[in-house]
Amino acid sequence: MAEKQHVDFWFDPLCPWAWMTSRWMEEVTRIRDVEVDWRIISLGILNEDNPDNHHNGHVESMWMVRVIEAAAQAHGAEYYKKLYDAMGTRRHPGGMKDEAQIITESLEEVGLPADLAGAKDSEDYDAALRESTEAAQKVAGDDIGTPCIAVNGVGFFGPVFTPAPKGEEAGRVWDGALALASYPGFYELKRGREKGPDFS
């Protein structure tokens, strides 16, 4: 019997590419023996020293991750994934841009108190967000973005898809990622993107 594989998946609900990869990861958990720990990587923190990035200096880039972190601390780690799904569905396939509305509706959907929305303006959660972001950088390197995954402790940026693989195709792609992660000398595999996110 194959050994259960462990994945750490770092996401920011702002990132459409992380959303695509997370849908692939969900498919993988249905057809392979894989467990996933869902964790936050903050685009606001990653780009705080990058003045050319549109997340730099925009406090709104911290809103959703702060609320997710606050919810997880107060109500349990399962809310990393529950709120990510609720927010990401609205933000990406749903096309919503109003982050305050996304937060309000998502909290209601998962049955959490509405006053958690106030966490978006609180820096009290930023230390935990920074620690989680730095954990991703520790396993995958400083020059990363979202998505970021670690397979059995081996981390890398990506994979990036459009659209996300489904069914057994998702499993075959996972098998390839697992093979690459198993080789200690593997570092990078990349090609130029010609298409935007396809949420179909």
Side-chain angles (χ1 to χ4, degrees):
M1 184 175 178
E3 180 181 353
K4 182 184 285 288
Q5 309 296 328
H6 179 83
V7 172
D8 291 297
F9 190 110
W10 283 272
F11 66 87
D12 188 315
L14 290 171
C15 179
W17 301 108
W19 178 253
M20 305 291 286
T21 305
S22 73
R23 300 310 92 183
W24 164 69
M25 199 74 254
E26 279 203 333
E27 288 284 307
V28 171
T29 61
R30 296 186 185 105
I31 58 177
R32 297 290 190 271
D33 193 10
V34 177
E35 62 179 5
V36 182
D37 281 338
W38 299 89
R39 310 176 69 175
I40 293 172
I41 184 169
S42 167
L43 286 168
I45 290 172
L46 281 176
N47 292 288
E48 61 189 357
D49 296 322
N50 182 5
D52 295 328
N53 187 278
H54 62 280
H55 295 292
N56 178 269
H58 289 192
V59 69
E60 294 89 347
S61 293
M62 299 295 291
W63 282 6
M64 289 193 283
V65 290
R66 282 174 175 168
V67 171
I68 294 173
E69 181 62 35
Q73 288 187 22
H75 298 279
E78 66 269 24
Y79 285 100
Y80 285 117
K81 178 66 162 55
K82 289 181 178 180
L83 274 175
Y84 178 42
D85 285 347
M87 292 179 180
T89 298
R90 287 168 172 78
R91 174 82 180 188
H92 302 300
M96 289 179 63
K97 301 300 183 187
D98 185 331
E99 290 170 33
Q101 183 181 357
I102 290 172
I103 289 168
T104 298
E105 291 186 7
S106 297
L107 289 171
E108 182 178 3
E109 177 184 323
V110 302
L112 288 177
D115 61 5
L116 272 172
K120 71 181 178 62
D121 299 313
S122 174
E123 296 182 359
D124 292 348
Y125 305 97
D126 290 6
L129 295 170
R130 185 174 300 278
E131 182 179 353
S132 186
T133 298
E134 290 175 352
Q137 292 175 302
K138 185 174 182 180
V139 299
D142 291 334
D143 186 23
I144 58 169
T146 62
C148 178
I149 69 172
V151 180
N152 300 326
V154 179
F156 47 88
F157 167 71
V160 174
F161 304 108
T162 187
K166 295 180 174 65
E168 186 51 38
E169 188 172 42
R172 290 195 300 272
V173 172
W174 163 255
D175 296 340
L178 193 62
L180 289 172
S182 71
Y183 180 65
F186 171 70
Y187 288 102
E188 188 172 355
L189 181 67
K190 187 174 182 178
R191 68 175 177 175
R193 288 197 299 258
E194 298 177 349
K195 299 179 181 178
D198 176 356
F199 302 118
S200 61

